[in-house]
């Protein structure tokens, strides 16, 4: 069993910054990429960013591009999401996820961490 544990959420004022972390543990699996999604009540979970483990290439949703930065630390099995210039609309539960192949589904999910941005 693979466990993903997020941390780093909290309450911040608009314009502030937070850094989320997600550490994978448990059964060893070959990681293709890890990603962050977010969800607000009544809405579907939406993609935020992902990073390909082998070559460090990152992809971002247009809504957060140029404000968020995804990175990884292979040795720590950890992915980070640096969030800058936060806006109230970034308020959501942020989830970390991973998959083992390019065309596979995201099978492993963390429990989520709440990010609240006040205006």
């Amino acid at each position: 069993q693979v466990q993903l544990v997020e941390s780093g959420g909290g309450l911040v004022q608009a314009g502030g910054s937070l850094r989320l972390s997600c550490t994978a543990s448990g059964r060893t699996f070959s990681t293709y990429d890890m990603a962050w999604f977010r969800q607000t009540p009544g809405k579907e979970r939406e993609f935020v960013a992902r990073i390909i483990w082998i070559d460090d290439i990152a992809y971002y949703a247009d809504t957060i591009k140029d404000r968020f930065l995804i990175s990884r630390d292979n040795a720590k099995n950890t992915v980070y999401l640096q969030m800058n210039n936060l806006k109230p609309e970034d308020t959501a539960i942020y989830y970390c996820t991973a998959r083992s192949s390019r065309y596979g589904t995201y099978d492993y999910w963390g429990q989520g961490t709440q990010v609240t941005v006040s205006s």
Side-chain angles (χ1 to χ4, degrees):
Q1 187 74 6
V2 175
Q3 290 86 36
L4 300 178
V5 179
E6 301 104 332
S7 61
L11 173 64
V12 65
Q13 288 188 333
S17 299
L18 283 174
R19 189 176 82 152
L20 306 183
S21 301
C22 172
T23 300
S25 63
R27 180 175 63 85
T28 300
F29 73 104
S30 177
T31 306
Y32 172 72
D33 65 359
M34 292 186 73
W36 291 94
F37 284 71
R38 66 186 184 187
Q39 188 170 25
T40 54
K43 292 188 177 181
E44 290 191 1
R45 196 169 293 187
E46 66 170 352
F47 167 77
V48 176
R50 68 183 181 99
I51 187 164
I52 299 175
W53 217 245
I54 194 169
D55 56 15
D56 220 22
I57 293 177
Y59 300 86
Y60 298 92
D62 289 340
T63 52
I64 57 84
K65 208 170 186 178
D66 299 328
R67 297 190 296 121
F68 292 8
L69 177 68
I70 190 170
S71 62
R72 59 159 175 75
D73 184 329
N74 280 6
K76 296 181 179 179
N77 287 328
T78 298
V79 64
Y80 304 97
L81 186 68
Q82 177 66 43
M83 305 185 295
N84 300 319
N85 190 20
L86 283 160
K87 303 177 180 181
E89 52 263 42
D90 294 318
T91 295
I93 299 175
Y94 284 71
Y95 296 92
C96 170
T97 183
R99 61 181 174 177
S100 56
S101 66
R102 180 179 181 180
Y103 300 107
T105 57
Y106 286 106
D107 292 326
Y108 309 109
W109 291 85
Q111 80 288 351
T113 185
Q114 176 71 48
V115 171
T116 303
V117 184
S118 63
S119 57

